[in-house]
Amino acid sequence: MEKILLLAVIGAAAFAGGIFYGFKNAVRTVLPSDPGISYIGRIDFTDKNAPKFDWPGIEIALNFEGSYCAVLLEDGANHYNVFVDGTRMPVITADAKIKKYVIAKNLNRGAHSVIITKRTETYDGVGIFKGFILDKKAKVLPPPVKPAKKIEFIGDSLTVGYGIEGPSVTCEEGSEKKYKNNFLSFASITSRVLGAQAHMIAISGRGVVKNYGESKIPTDKPIGYYYKKTLMNIDTSEWDFKSWIPEIVVINLGTNDLSTEPKPDRELFEKGYLSILNTVRGYYPQADIFCVAGPVMGEPLPEYIKNIIKRFKDKKTYFVTLSSVPQELMGCDWHPNVEANRKMAEELVKQINEKLKK
């Protein structure tokens, strides 16, 4: 199994738990409201013991002392990465009903960490976390320490990690879900390298003013339509921007606007992009904003973005570019694969660090 760098540390012991439902063996549960659980991402806690989420990259983590751990999920059909003590375990392929998924068993009685991350995206439905199940003698440890730094990513399928684990540009029909993995996207890698927690506001196919494959310009529901929502799939859910304020915002948009005909004219696109920048700046007055061009779409997108930044007249908004990706480093449907995303993250981290040192 694969060792992965994770944003969690194990602290000193603290007790929490209770008996759960009626499973055959005596078990102890950790309800979602337990302070020992750590969350990262936009999550709806209206029901504190049934938190809902749908954005990619949502992270749920627990440190515990025990020999067994399972997770309870009620889910439409999302896929989840699981890490136990930093080791990547088999992927959870969720069912639509409430179901227990065994994460680890027969562990030694020492301290252990479990981290679950959402591989898939908003189109794959809403997930509901119902808690962890531990062995009867288990103890919950203090929660993983979250990084102090925060980064928000606004993007499309490139940020989602669509097709990233695909074997080539052509993947078998109906397989795209299993090849998504936000954890290995350039966005997630960038956040870990910079030592930051991240929120992923990203939807495949969405653009600034035009969505992929659509003919209507401007479209009714571009990425900006969903930006203020806690969940994309719940129209009435409004995100509290004061609850989580990033120091860095990375925007990678425009590929879907300009990849197919008809294309928006330059002025419409630039006004749409400027609207997003004004919205972001309104919520985060002190954030450094990085507007990314590449790696899939070439000119005129870089030229447009440079001009947008010039028009925006903001000293903390920067242009960055990612190199084009060769076909041999492409996954499903011409999306950068894992290796390409590592290189993209390396480029992005270098440029962010260079800009912020000035």
Side-chain angles (χ1 to χ4, degrees):
M1 294 182 180
E2 183 182 358
K3 273 285 184 181
I4 302 289
L5 173 65
L6 298 173
L7 301 175
V9 296
I10 298 178
F15 178 86
I19 301 302
F20 189 82
Y21 295 103
F23 293 111
K24 293 181 179 179
N25 299 320
V27 295
R28 183 173 301 282
T29 64
V30 187
L31 296 175
S33 58
D34 192 289
I37 299 175
S38 169
Y39 298 91
I40 295 176
R42 288 192 182 184
I43 300 174
D44 181 356
F45 287 100
T46 301
D47 184 342
K48 65 181 181 179
N49 282 321
K52 299 177 180 179
F53 47 83
D54 61 6
W55 296 106
I58 297 295
E59 180 181 304
I60 303 170
L62 174 74
N63 292 334
F64 71 100
E65 190 176 279
S67 62
Y68 173 92
C69 183
V71 63
L72 259 174
L73 296 169
E74 181 179 354
D75 198 308
N78 282 288
H79 294 181
Y80 298 87
N81 292 310
V82 178
F83 303 95
V84 177
D85 299 333
T87 298
R88 186 174 173 180
M89 308 300 284
V91 171
I92 290 176
T93 303
D95 293 332
K97 57 186 178 181
I98 300 176
K99 186 174 179 180
K100 178 183 76 170
Y101 302 89
V102 176
I103 292 173
K105 55 186 178 180
N106 301 320
L107 297 172
N108 64 55
R109 294 300 306 183
H112 301 285
S113 65
V114 169
I115 297 179
I116 298 171
T117 72
K118 188 169 177 288
R119 294 167 57 97
T120 43
E121 61 179 312
T122 52
Y123 293 137
D124 300 305
V126 174
I128 305 175
F129 173 60
K130 297 282 189 165
F132 287 106
I133 305 171
L134 307 177
D135 58 280
K136 185 177 180 180
K137 296 181 180 180
K139 294 182 179 180
V140 175
L141 303 178
V145 178
K146 297 179 186 178
K149 185 181 291 184
K150 302 179 180 72
I151 303 179
E152 179 176 274
F153 290 86
I154 305 171
D156 50 32
S157 56
L158 298 172
T159 301
V160 165
Y162 177 97
I164 194 171
E165 293 185 330
S168 67
V169 297
T170 303
C171 299
E172 61 268 29
E173 185 176 352
S175 67
E176 40 73 47
K177 187 187 297 185
K178 74 177 182 180
Y179 293 129
K180 295 176 185 175
N181 190 354
N182 180 261
F183 186 83
L184 297 180
S185 71
F186 81 94
S188 288
I189 296 172
T190 296
S191 69
R192 291 193 293 276
V193 172
L194 292 176
Q197 52 178 292
H199 282 196
M200 306 288 173
I201 313 306
I203 310 172
S204 292
R206 300 289 165 164
V208 176
V209 294
K210 184 213 168 186
N211 298 329
Y212 181 81
E214 292 184 5
S215 58
K216 184 176 181 179
I217 303 175
T219 184
D220 293 329
K221 296 182 179 180
I223 188 69
Y225 176 85
Y226 300 99
Y227 179 65
K228 299 179 183 180
K229 300 186 182 303
T230 305
L231 281 74
M232 171 189 162
N233 289 291
I234 299 180
D235 206 46
T236 57
S237 64
E238 294 296 324
W239 177 245
D240 178 6
F241 283 90
K242 294 181 180 179
S243 67
W244 195 89
I245 300 175
E247 292 83 13
I248 297 172
V249 177
V250 177
I251 303 173
N252 189 354
L253 294 169
T255 298
N256 292 309
D257 296 84
L258 303 177
S259 59
T260 59
E261 297 291 347
K263 299 176 183 179
D265 64 55
R266 177 170 181 164
E267 182 60 20
L268 180 62
F269 178 81
E270 291 193 4
K271 282 185 176 180
Y273 203 116
L274 282 166
S275 176
I276 292 173
L277 285 175
N278 279 305
T279 298
V280 171
R281 178 56 75 216
Y283 287 120
Y284 311 131
Q286 302 303 318
D288 292 290
I289 303 173
F290 293 85
C291 302
V292 181
V296 176
M297 180 62 61
E299 294 293 353
L301 183 58
E303 179 187 346
Y304 287 5
I305 294 176
K306 288 178 183 177
N307 194 56
I308 289 163
I309 294 173
K310 184 178 179 181
R311 294 173 65 176
F312 192 45
K313 298 179 181 179
D314 184 290
K315 293 182 178 180
K316 299 189 73 176
T317 300
Y318 311 96
F319 173 80
V320 295
T321 184
L322 300 178
S323 302
S324 60
V325 178
Q327 183 173 341
E328 60 267 24
L329 295 183
M330 289 290 191
C332 300
D333 301 323
W334 299 94
H335 286 73
N337 67 13
V338 174
E339 183 179 350
N341 272 268
R342 289 195 188 106
K343 294 181 177 181
M344 291 158 59
E346 184 178 351
E347 283 189 277
L348 181 56
V349 168
K350 181 180 179 181
Q351 292 176 83
I352 288 175
N353 285 335
E354 287 174 348
K355 300 291 187 184
L356 296 185
K357 285 179 181 178
K358 291 182 178 180

